[in-house]
Amino acid sequence: MEEMKNNSSHRLDMEAIIGFVLQTGLFLSLGFLLSGLGWHFIRFGNLQFNYQISSGTLWGLWRDNFHLFFSAGWRPRLLINMGMAILITTPFVRVLVSFLYFCFIQQNVKYTLFTLFVLLALTYNLI
Amino acid sequence: MITFPILLAVSLIAGFIGSLSGMGGGVILIPVLTFLGLDIKKVIAVSIVSVIATSSGAAAAYVKDRLTNLKVGMFLEVFTIIGGWTGALLTVRLSQSSLYILFGSLLLISWGLLLVKLRENSSEQIIQDKFSSWLELEGEYYDQALSKTIRYKAVRAYFGAPLMLLAGLLAGLLGIGAGAVKVLIHDLVMKLPPKVSTSTSNLIIGVTALSGASVYLAKGLIDPGLAAPVIVGVSVGAFSGTRILNRLKNENVRRIFLIILIVFGVEMIIRGINGG
């Protein structure tokens, strides 16, 4: 009975956390994208963007965004790029949370290894 | 030149119809944007990023409703992620004509599958195989429509897993979620209940799309001028679609989508044969 209650509460926490991660990532991303679009329209009077993302990787995109942010390179494209970076990172964070859950809370070796594989494969692709 | 309002409008409609049909926005978005003159590879790249958005929104809702089986999702993601990455790598190497023909063929296959009533309730006794049992692929959820808890066990994980490789390949190759394929695998092969199939598929789609998006990002194919309005439009359209879905008759939604699929499918194949 105690194990069922523990499993039930773990299940509750895990799903709540994953739902939170996914929803927050999506809404933050949309917020940045809409802000960037709005700022661009106010500044330039149109919604045509004439730049490409040359960062190459997600890590590169985040690095370039932080560089722009801290070097006072505040432009609408910073918000657009942030929105895209957050959106693309969201599933990665979801997998990371799943890994931590299976490893430290459920202590399930099989699913720790499965999530670790997915996490490492994503990390390799994104860095 | 395609303008922002047109991009936004197309994305809104794609997200709206995609969510009503359960087949996602990419199936509408890609044919329409390429018809309007955009490069198919860039459209595929942007579509797959928008898939992350729609999948995250849907998956968040289903996970909170306790419909998603996280273990099934995590196990199958091992395979879809390989497929998605491979599919995206193929896309950057294939010619535009090949992509048009492949996409058109997928639309026609989807049309065929939608015509056939595949999801019949089975009363067969499910006996879980040892492999699926070892993977702990079982769960339960509260079905609000039936007002009772449904317990289930997934089967044939040894078969479902390699099929998910194929689903991931399609997703990465064509910039779609391939949710319909994934749901079929969950439903017909692994015998998951329909609601668990759909919700788990939505969870998997996001990671599959991410593995494909990483390739397109590396190749510089994700155009922010395209991506921003598409992501916003598809997300808002999908959200609106889910709000009114209950008010529409299933049969009407299905009929509209059947027409769209066959028109776009034939049009894409013809364009591919004519050299894109």
Side-chain angles (χ1 to χ4, degrees), chain B residues 63-107:
Chain B
V63 161
K64 286 182 178 177
D65 287 342
R66 319 274 181 255
L67 290 172
T68 309
N69 189 305
L70 296 173
K71 283 181 178 174
V72 171
M74 284 316 313
F75 171 66
L76 294 179
E77 273 175 6
V78 170
F79 300 89
T80 63
I81 196 174
I82 297 168
W85 183 72
T86 308
L89 281 176
L90 278 173
T91 297
V92 298
R93 284 163 174 76
L94 286 173
S95 67
Q96 290 208 349
S97 306
S98 307
L99 289 171
Y100 276 113
I101 292 170
L102 276 168
F103 197 88
S105 303
L106 177 77
L107 292 182

mmCIF file of all heavy atoms in Angstrom, chain B residues 63-107:
data_model
loop_
_atom_site.group_PDB
_atom_site.id
_atom_site.type_symbol
_atom_site.label_atom_id
_atom_site.label_comp_id
_atom_site.label_asym_id
_atom_site.label_seq_id
_atom_site.Cartn_x
_atom_site.Cartn_y
_atom_site.Cartn_z
ATOM 1 N N VAL B 63 -0.318 15.013 -20.818
ATOM 2 C CA VAL B 63 0.476 14.535 -19.673
ATOM 3 C C VAL B 63 -0.219 14.899 -18.372
ATOM 4 O O VAL B 63 -0.324 14.094 -17.451
ATOM 5 C CB VAL B 63 1.910 15.123 -19.727
ATOM 6 C CG1 VAL B 63 2.587 15.037 -18.380
ATOM 7 C CG2 VAL B 63 2.735 14.406 -20.758
ATOM 8 N N LYS B 64 -0.741 16.105 -18.324
ATOM 9 C CA LYS B 64 -1.435 16.549 -17.105
ATOM 10 C C LYS B 64 -2.709 15.739 -16.867
ATOM 11 O O LYS B 64 -3.132 15.552 -15.727
ATOM 12 C CB LYS B 64 -1.784 18.034 -17.210
ATOM 13 C CG LYS B 64 -0.584 18.928 -17.037
ATOM 14 C CD LYS B 64 -0.978 20.382 -17.107
ATOM 15 C CE LYS B 64 0.223 21.266 -16.893
ATOM 16 N NZ LYS B 64 -0.104 22.689 -17.019
ATOM 17 N N ASP B 65 -3.322 15.251 -17.948
ATOM 18 C CA ASP B 65 -4.526 14.426 -17.820
ATOM 19 C C ASP B 65 -4.188 12.971 -17.524
ATOM 20 O O ASP B 65 -5.079 12.124 -17.459
ATOM 21 C CB ASP B 65 -5.361 14.492 -19.124
ATOM 22 C CG ASP B 65 -6.060 15.825 -19.279
ATOM 23 O OD1 ASP B 65 -6.191 16.534 -18.268
ATOM 24 O OD2 ASP B 65 -6.471 16.154 -20.412
ATOM 25 N N ARG B 66 -2.894 12.670 -17.362
ATOM 26 C CA ARG B 66 -2.410 11.319 -17.021
ATOM 27 C C ARG B 66 -2.717 10.309 -18.125
ATOM 28 O O ARG B 66 -2.899 9.125 -17.843
ATOM 29 C CB ARG B 66 -3.030 10.794 -15.711
ATOM 30 C CG ARG B 66 -3.135 11.795 -14.616
ATOM 31 C CD ARG B 66 -1.845 11.867 -13.806
ATOM 32 N NE ARG B 66 -1.989 12.836 -12.736
ATOM 33 C CZ ARG B 66 -1.449 14.040 -12.730
ATOM 34 N NH1 ARG B 66 -0.730 14.459 -13.739
ATOM 35 N NH2 ARG B 66 -1.637 14.858 -11.712
ATOM 36 N N LEU B 67 -2.820 10.778 -19.380
ATOM 37 C CA LEU B 67 -3.115 9.858 -20.473
ATOM 38 C C LEU B 67 -1.838 9.279 -21.091
ATOM 39 O O LEU B 67 -1.871 8.230 -21.723
ATOM 40 C CB LEU B 67 -3.905 10.589 -21.576
ATOM 41 C CG LEU B 67 -5.345 10.967 -21.227
ATOM 42 C CD1 LEU B 67 -5.935 11.846 -22.324
ATOM 43 C CD2 LEU B 67 -6.201 9.733 -21.037
ATOM 44 N N THR B 68 -0.735 9.987 -20.923
ATOM 45 C CA THR B 68 0.509 9.595 -21.583
ATOM 46 C C THR B 68 1.229 8.524 -20.796
ATOM 47 O O THR B 68 1.329 8.611 -19.577
ATOM 48 C CB THR B 68 1.423 10.826 -21.710
ATOM 49 O OG1 THR B 68 0.683 11.889 -22.309
ATOM 50 C CG2 THR B 68 2.640 10.524 -22.554
ATOM 51 N N ASN B 69 1.755 7.525 -21.528
ATOM 52 C CA ASN B 69 2.584 6.519 -20.873
ATOM 53 C C ASN B 69 4.040 6.924 -21.090
ATOM 54 O O ASN B 69 4.576 6.800 -22.194
ATOM 55 C CB ASN B 69 2.316 5.130 -21.449
ATOM 56 C CG ASN B 69 2.986 4.037 -20.650
ATOM 57 O OD1 ASN B 69 4.194 4.067 -20.435
ATOM 58 N ND2 ASN B 69 2.202 3.070 -20.177
ATOM 59 N N LEU B 70 4.661 7.418 -20.043
ATOM 60 C CA LEU B 70 6.011 7.977 -20.171
ATOM 61 C C LEU B 70 7.042 6.907 -20.518
ATOM 62 O O LEU B 70 7.980 7.177 -21.271
ATOM 63 C CB LEU B 70 6.407 8.693 -18.875
ATOM 64 C CG LEU B 70 5.552 9.912 -18.535
ATOM 65 C CD1 LEU B 70 5.909 10.450 -17.160
ATOM 66 C CD2 LEU B 70 5.713 11.007 -19.581
ATOM 67 N N LYS B 71 6.867 5.712 -20.011
ATOM 68 C CA LYS B 71 7.834 4.649 -20.307
ATOM 69 C C LYS B 71 7.741 4.231 -21.767
ATOM 70 O O LYS B 71 8.759 4.069 -22.437
ATOM 71 C CB LYS B 71 7.613 3.450 -19.382
ATOM 72 C CG LYS B 71 8.151 3.694 -17.985
ATOM 73 C CD LYS B 71 7.958 2.489 -17.091
ATOM 74 C CE LYS B 71 8.572 2.771 -15.720
ATOM 75 N NZ LYS B 71 8.281 1.684 -14.765
ATOM 76 N N VAL B 72 6.531 4.077 -22.280
ATOM 77 C CA VAL B 72 6.366 3.751 -23.698
ATOM 78 C C VAL B 72 7.014 4.849 -24.539
ATOM 79 O O VAL B 72 7.752 4.582 -25.494
ATOM 80 C CB VAL B 72 4.876 3.601 -24.066
ATOM 81 C CG1 VAL B 72 4.692 3.485 -25.569
ATOM 82 C CG2 VAL B 72 4.272 2.382 -23.385
ATOM 83 N N GLY B 73 6.737 6.089 -24.161
ATOM 84 C CA GLY B 73 7.285 7.215 -24.894
ATOM 85 C C GLY B 73 8.803 7.232 -24.904
ATOM 86 O O GLY B 73 9.435 7.383 -25.951
ATOM 87 N N MET B 74 9.402 7.062 -23.714
ATOM 88 C CA MET B 74 10.861 7.114 -23.625
ATOM 89 C C MET B 74 11.508 5.965 -24.375
ATOM 90 O O MET B 74 12.527 6.148 -25.046
ATOM 91 C CB MET B 74 11.322 7.077 -22.164
ATOM 92 C CG MET B 74 11.152 8.346 -21.384
ATOM 93 S SD MET B 74 11.641 9.886 -22.205
ATOM 94 C CE MET B 74 13.229 9.487 -22.893
ATOM 95 N N PHE B 75 10.950 4.761 -24.279
ATOM 96 C CA PHE B 75 11.524 3.610 -24.980
ATOM 97 C C PHE B 75 11.480 3.818 -26.493
ATOM 98 O O PHE B 75 12.466 3.607 -27.199
ATOM 99 C CB PHE B 75 10.779 2.326 -24.585
ATOM 100 C CG PHE B 75 11.161 1.129 -25.427
ATOM 101 C CD1 PHE B 75 12.440 0.606 -25.360
ATOM 102 C CD2 PHE B 75 10.252 0.549 -26.292
ATOM 103 C CE1 PHE B 75 12.798 -0.485 -26.148
ATOM 104 C CE2 PHE B 75 10.610 -0.538 -27.074
ATOM 105 C CZ PHE B 75 11.881 -1.054 -27.012
ATOM 106 N N LEU B 76 10.329 4.259 -26.998
ATOM 107 C CA LEU B 76 10.186 4.417 -28.449
ATOM 108 C C LEU B 76 10.979 5.613 -28.978
ATOM 109 O O LEU B 76 11.380 5.629 -30.148
ATOM 110 C CB LEU B 76 8.706 4.544 -28.817
ATOM 111 C CG LEU B 76 7.873 3.284 -28.541
ATOM 112 C CD1 LEU B 76 6.404 3.522 -28.907
ATOM 113 C CD2 LEU B 76 8.410 2.072 -29.294
ATOM 114 N N GLU B 77 11.221 6.591 -28.139
ATOM 115 C CA GLU B 77 12.023 7.745 -28.560
ATOM 116 C C GLU B 77 13.448 7.347 -28.937
ATOM 117 O O GLU B 77 14.068 8.015 -29.763
ATOM 118 C CB GLU B 77 12.063 8.799 -27.447
ATOM 119 C CG GLU B 77 10.899 9.749 -27.519
ATOM 120 C CD GLU B 77 10.846 10.713 -26.356
ATOM 121 O OE1 GLU B 77 11.790 10.730 -25.537
ATOM 122 O OE2 GLU B 77 9.843 11.444 -26.275
ATOM 123 N N VAL B 78 13.941 6.275 -28.343
ATOM 124 C CA VAL B 78 15.284 5.785 -28.690
ATOM 125 C C VAL B 78 15.340 5.521 -30.192
ATOM 126 O O VAL B 78 16.364 5.780 -30.834
ATOM 127 C CB VAL B 78 15.599 4.491 -27.888
ATOM 128 C CG1 VAL B 78 16.850 3.833 -28.409
ATOM 129 C CG2 VAL B 78 15.729 4.807 -26.409
ATOM 130 N N PHE B 79 14.237 5.058 -30.748
ATOM 131 C CA PHE B 79 14.205 4.685 -32.158
ATOM 132 C C PHE B 79 13.783 5.851 -33.066
ATOM 133 O O PHE B 79 14.360 6.052 -34.135
ATOM 134 C CB PHE B 79 13.264 3.482 -32.342
ATOM 135 C CG PHE B 79 13.714 2.302 -31.555
ATOM 136 C CD1 PHE B 79 13.300 2.118 -30.244
ATOM 137 C CD2 PHE B 79 14.600 1.376 -32.097
ATOM 138 C CE1 PHE B 79 13.747 1.052 -29.481
ATOM 139 C CE2 PHE B 79 15.047 0.294 -31.361
ATOM 140 C CZ PHE B 79 14.624 0.138 -30.047
ATOM 141 N N THR B 80 12.820 6.626 -32.628
ATOM 142 C CA THR B 80 12.370 7.730 -33.483
ATOM 143 C C THR B 80 13.444 8.803 -33.630
ATOM 144 O O THR B 80 13.528 9.460 -34.661
ATOM 145 C CB THR B 80 11.085 8.406 -32.944
ATOM 146 O OG1 THR B 80 11.350 8.986 -31.668
ATOM 147 C CG2 THR B 80 9.953 7.429 -32.844
ATOM 148 N N ILE B 81 14.256 8.944 -32.602
ATOM 149 C CA ILE B 81 15.278 9.985 -32.682
ATOM 150 C C ILE B 81 16.322 9.634 -33.753
ATOM 151 O O ILE B 81 16.799 10.504 -34.477
ATOM 152 C CB ILE B 81 15.931 10.220 -31.297
ATOM 153 C CG1 ILE B 81 16.684 11.532 -31.273
ATOM 154 C CG2 ILE B 81 16.836 9.097 -30.880
ATOM 155 C CD1 ILE B 81 17.221 11.887 -29.917
ATOM 156 N N ILE B 82 16.628 8.350 -33.864
ATOM 157 C CA ILE B 82 17.572 7.901 -34.906
ATOM 158 C C ILE B 82 16.937 8.106 -36.276
ATOM 159 O O ILE B 82 17.566 8.600 -37.216
ATOM 160 C CB ILE B 82 17.954 6.422 -34.699
ATOM 161 C CG1 ILE B 82 18.679 6.253 -33.366
ATOM 162 C CG2 ILE B 82 18.849 5.927 -35.835
ATOM 163 C CD1 ILE B 82 18.838 4.796 -32.932
ATOM 164 N N GLY B 83 15.645 7.724 -36.367
ATOM 165 C CA GLY B 83 14.933 7.886 -37.631
ATOM 166 C C GLY B 83 14.824 9.348 -38.042
ATOM 167 O O GLY B 83 15.045 9.687 -39.206
ATOM 168 N N GLY B 84 14.499 10.216 -37.092
ATOM 169 C CA GLY B 84 14.323 11.631 -37.393
ATOM 170 C C GLY B 84 15.613 12.278 -37.894
ATOM 171 O O GLY B 84 15.626 13.044 -38.853
ATOM 172 N N TRP B 85 16.688 11.957 -37.241
ATOM 173 C CA TRP B 85 18.002 12.501 -37.623
ATOM 174 C C TRP B 85 18.377 12.014 -39.018
ATOM 175 O O TRP B 85 18.812 12.805 -39.865
ATOM 176 C CB TRP B 85 19.006 12.066 -36.562
ATOM 177 C CG TRP B 85 20.387 12.576 -36.735
ATOM 178 C CD1 TRP B 85 20.825 13.847 -36.556
ATOM 179 C CD2 TRP B 85 21.528 11.816 -37.095
ATOM 180 N NE1 TRP B 85 22.175 13.927 -36.782
ATOM 181 C CE2 TRP B 85 22.639 12.693 -37.112
ATOM 182 C CE3 TRP B 85 21.743 10.464 -37.382
ATOM 183 C CZ2 TRP B 85 23.923 12.270 -37.424
ATOM 184 C CZ3 TRP B 85 23.030 10.048 -37.691
ATOM 185 C CH2 TRP B 85 24.097 10.956 -37.717
ATOM 186 N N THR B 86 18.166 10.711 -39.267
ATOM 187 C CA THR B 86 18.503 10.122 -40.574
ATOM 188 C C THR B 86 17.649 10.735 -41.673
ATOM 189 O O THR B 86 18.143 11.072 -42.758
ATOM 190 C CB THR B 86 18.282 8.598 -40.550
ATOM 191 O OG1 THR B 86 18.976 8.054 -39.440
ATOM 192 C CG2 THR B 86 18.779 7.954 -41.836
ATOM 193 N N GLY B 87 16.357 10.893 -41.378
ATOM 194 C CA GLY B 87 15.441 11.474 -42.366
ATOM 195 C C GLY B 87 15.854 12.874 -42.763
ATOM 196 O O GLY B 87 15.841 13.236 -43.941
ATOM 197 N N ALA B 88 16.225 13.684 -41.769
ATOM 198 C CA ALA B 88 16.638 15.062 -42.053
ATOM 199 C C ALA B 88 17.923 15.087 -42.892
ATOM 200 O O ALA B 88 18.067 15.903 -43.802
ATOM 201 C CB ALA B 88 16.832 15.823 -40.749
ATOM 202 N N LEU B 89 18.842 14.182 -42.580
ATOM 203 C CA LEU B 89 20.087 14.111 -43.362
ATOM 204 C C LEU B 89 19.791 13.757 -44.819
ATOM 205 O O LEU B 89 20.432 14.266 -45.739
ATOM 206 C CB LEU B 89 21.029 13.062 -42.766
ATOM 207 C CG LEU B 89 21.812 13.477 -41.532
ATOM 208 C CD1 LEU B 89 22.623 12.299 -41.000
ATOM 209 C CD2 LEU B 89 22.733 14.656 -41.813
ATOM 210 N N LEU B 90 18.806 12.892 -45.011
ATOM 211 C CA LEU B 90 18.419 12.507 -46.371
ATOM 212 C C LEU B 90 17.831 13.704 -47.115
ATOM 213 O O LEU B 90 18.106 13.919 -48.296
ATOM 214 C CB LEU B 90 17.378 11.382 -46.337
ATOM 215 C CG LEU B 90 17.906 9.967 -46.147
ATOM 216 C CD1 LEU B 90 16.739 9.002 -45.963
ATOM 217 C CD2 LEU B 90 18.772 9.541 -47.326
ATOM 218 N N THR B 91 17.032 14.489 -46.409
ATOM 219 C CA THR B 91 16.365 15.629 -47.047
ATOM 220 C C THR B 91 17.363 16.600 -47.650
ATOM 221 O O THR B 91 17.177 17.080 -48.770
ATOM 222 C CB THR B 91 15.478 16.361 -46.030
ATOM 223 O OG1 THR B 91 14.466 15.489 -45.579
ATOM 224 C CG2 THR B 91 14.835 17.599 -46.635
ATOM 225 N N VAL B 92 18.414 16.899 -46.903
ATOM 226 C CA VAL B 92 19.372 17.899 -47.419
ATOM 227 C C VAL B 92 20.123 17.354 -48.627
ATOM 228 O O VAL B 92 20.698 18.115 -49.396
ATOM 229 C CB VAL B 92 20.349 18.391 -46.331
ATOM 230 C CG1 VAL B 92 19.598 19.082 -45.211
ATOM 231 C CG2 VAL B 92 21.203 17.297 -45.789
ATOM 232 N N ARG B 93 20.122 16.042 -48.807
ATOM 233 C CA ARG B 93 20.843 15.441 -49.938
ATOM 234 C C ARG B 93 19.953 15.139 -51.128
ATOM 235 O O ARG B 93 20.411 15.061 -52.259
ATOM 236 C CB ARG B 93 21.533 14.142 -49.492
ATOM 237 C CG ARG B 93 22.785 14.393 -48.674
ATOM 238 C CD ARG B 93 23.219 13.152 -47.901
ATOM 239 N NE ARG B 93 24.495 13.355 -47.228
ATOM 240 C CZ ARG B 93 24.679 14.052 -46.116
ATOM 241 N NH1 ARG B 93 23.648 14.637 -45.546
ATOM 242 N NH2 ARG B 93 25.872 14.178 -45.578
ATOM 243 N N LEU B 94 18.653 14.971 -50.880
ATOM 244 C CA LEU B 94 17.742 14.617 -51.966
ATOM 245 C C LEU B 94 17.425 15.837 -52.826
ATOM 246 O O LEU B 94 17.506 16.976 -52.371
ATOM 247 C CB LEU B 94 16.429 14.048 -51.389
ATOM 248 C CG LEU B 94 16.486 12.630 -50.827
ATOM 249 C CD1 LEU B 94 15.171 12.281 -50.150
ATOM 250 C CD2 LEU B 94 16.790 11.624 -51.927
ATOM 251 N N SER B 95 17.011 15.559 -54.073
ATOM 252 C CA SER B 95 16.617 16.655 -54.961
ATOM 253 C C SER B 95 15.221 17.132 -54.580
ATOM 254 O O SER B 95 14.470 16.425 -53.907
ATOM 255 C CB SER B 95 16.600 16.161 -56.406
ATOM 256 O OG SER B 95 15.564 15.206 -56.560
ATOM 257 N N GLN B 96 14.892 18.325 -55.043
ATOM 258 C CA GLN B 96 13.564 18.884 -54.754
ATOM 259 C C GLN B 96 12.471 18.004 -55.345
ATOM 260 O O GLN B 96 11.434 17.778 -54.712
ATOM 261 C CB GLN B 96 13.462 20.293 -55.334
ATOM 262 C CG GLN B 96 14.329 21.290 -54.593
ATOM 263 C CD GLN B 96 13.765 22.696 -54.669
ATOM 264 O OE1 GLN B 96 12.856 22.973 -55.425
ATOM 265 N NE2 GLN B 96 14.317 23.586 -53.879
ATOM 266 N N SER B 97 12.703 17.504 -56.569
ATOM 267 C CA SER B 97 11.699 16.661 -57.229
ATOM 268 C C SER B 97 11.391 15.429 -56.379
ATOM 269 O O SER B 97 10.227 15.054 -56.211
ATOM 270 C CB SER B 97 12.202 16.171 -58.584
ATOM 271 O OG SER B 97 12.610 17.256 -59.357
ATOM 272 N N SER B 98 12.430 14.800 -55.865
ATOM 273 C CA SER B 98 12.242 13.601 -55.043
ATOM 274 C C SER B 98 11.405 13.914 -53.816
ATOM 275 O O SER B 98 10.530 13.140 -53.440
ATOM 276 C CB SER B 98 13.592 13.045 -54.580
ATOM 277 O OG SER B 98 14.439 12.853 -55.669
ATOM 278 N N LEU B 99 11.667 15.061 -53.213
ATOM 279 C CA LEU B 99 10.933 15.436 -52.008
ATOM 280 C C LEU B 99 9.462 15.681 -52.318
ATOM 281 O O LEU B 99 8.580 15.289 -51.555
ATOM 282 C CB LEU B 99 11.557 16.678 -51.372
ATOM 283 C CG LEU B 99 12.922 16.454 -50.722
ATOM 284 C CD1 LEU B 99 13.555 17.776 -50.321
ATOM 285 C CD2 LEU B 99 12.797 15.560 -49.498
ATOM 286 N N TYR B 100 9.209 16.331 -53.463
ATOM 287 C CA TYR B 100 7.820 16.558 -53.867
ATOM 288 C C TYR B 100 7.089 15.231 -54.038
ATOM 289 O O TYR B 100 5.962 15.050 -53.572
ATOM 290 C CB TYR B 100 7.767 17.337 -55.191
ATOM 291 C CG TYR B 100 7.876 18.831 -55.038
ATOM 292 C CD1 TYR B 100 8.980 19.516 -55.515
ATOM 293 C CD2 TYR B 100 6.860 19.557 -54.430
ATOM 294 C CE1 TYR B 100 9.091 20.884 -55.390
ATOM 295 C CE2 TYR B 100 6.960 20.931 -54.291
ATOM 296 C CZ TYR B 100 8.080 21.583 -54.779
ATOM 297 O OH TYR B 100 8.183 22.947 -54.649
ATOM 298 N N ILE B 101 7.739 14.294 -54.715
ATOM 299 C CA ILE B 101 7.094 13.004 -54.993
ATOM 300 C C ILE B 101 6.883 12.224 -53.694
ATOM 301 O O ILE B 101 5.821 11.639 -53.468
ATOM 302 C CB ILE B 101 7.930 12.185 -56.011
ATOM 303 C CG1 ILE B 101 7.892 12.870 -57.382
ATOM 304 C CG2 ILE B 101 7.433 10.751 -56.107
ATOM 305 C CD1 ILE B 101 8.852 12.298 -58.401
ATOM 306 N N LEU B 102 7.882 12.238 -52.824
ATOM 307 C CA LEU B 102 7.765 11.522 -51.541
ATOM 308 C C LEU B 102 6.631 12.109 -50.708
ATOM 309 O O LEU B 102 5.831 11.372 -50.126
ATOM 310 C CB LEU B 102 9.077 11.639 -50.755
ATOM 311 C CG LEU B 102 10.160 10.631 -51.121
ATOM 312 C CD1 LEU B 102 11.491 11.031 -50.498
ATOM 313 C CD2 LEU B 102 9.764 9.231 -50.678
ATOM 314 N N PHE B 103 6.583 13.427 -50.659
ATOM 315 C CA PHE B 103 5.555 14.070 -49.851
ATOM 316 C C PHE B 103 4.175 13.812 -50.413
ATOM 317 O O PHE B 103 3.226 13.519 -49.675
ATOM 318 C CB PHE B 103 5.823 15.578 -49.732
ATOM 319 C CG PHE B 103 5.055 16.221 -48.613
ATOM 320 C CD1 PHE B 103 5.585 16.254 -47.339
ATOM 321 C CD2 PHE B 103 3.800 16.759 -48.824
ATOM 322 C CE1 PHE B 103 4.877 16.832 -46.297
ATOM 323 C CE2 PHE B 103 3.087 17.336 -47.782
ATOM 324 C CZ PHE B 103 3.621 17.364 -46.518
ATOM 325 N N GLY B 104 4.067 13.924 -51.734
ATOM 326 C CA GLY B 104 2.774 13.651 -52.375
ATOM 327 C C GLY B 104 2.324 12.219 -52.131
ATOM 328 O O GLY B 104 1.146 11.956 -51.863
ATOM 329 N N SER B 105 3.271 11.288 -52.176
ATOM 330 C CA SER B 105 2.943 9.876 -51.944
ATOM 331 C C SER B 105 2.456 9.673 -50.521
ATOM 332 O O SER B 105 1.497 8.936 -50.261
ATOM 333 C CB SER B 105 4.171 9.000 -52.192
ATOM 334 O OG SER B 105 4.660 9.206 -53.495
ATOM 335 N N LEU B 106 3.115 10.347 -49.585
ATOM 336 C CA LEU B 106 2.699 10.241 -48.180
ATOM 337 C C LEU B 106 1.280 10.753 -48.006
ATOM 338 O O LEU B 106 0.472 10.158 -47.290
ATOM 339 C CB LEU B 106 3.653 11.026 -47.284
ATOM 340 C CG LEU B 106 3.238 11.022 -45.815
ATOM 341 C CD1 LEU B 106 3.583 9.707 -45.158
ATOM 342 C CD2 LEU B 106 3.896 12.164 -45.047
ATOM 343 N N LEU B 107 0.955 11.855 -48.670
ATOM 344 C CA LEU B 107 -0.396 12.419 -48.554
ATOM 345 C C LEU B 107 -1.432 11.433 -49.101
ATOM 346 O O LEU B 107 -2.498 11.251 -48.514
ATOM 347 C CB LEU B 107 -0.503 13.746 -49.303
ATOM 348 C CG LEU B 107 0.290 14.912 -48.726
ATOM 349 C CD1 LEU B 107 0.051 16.170 -49.537
ATOM 350 C CD2 LEU B 107 -0.084 15.178 -47.284
#
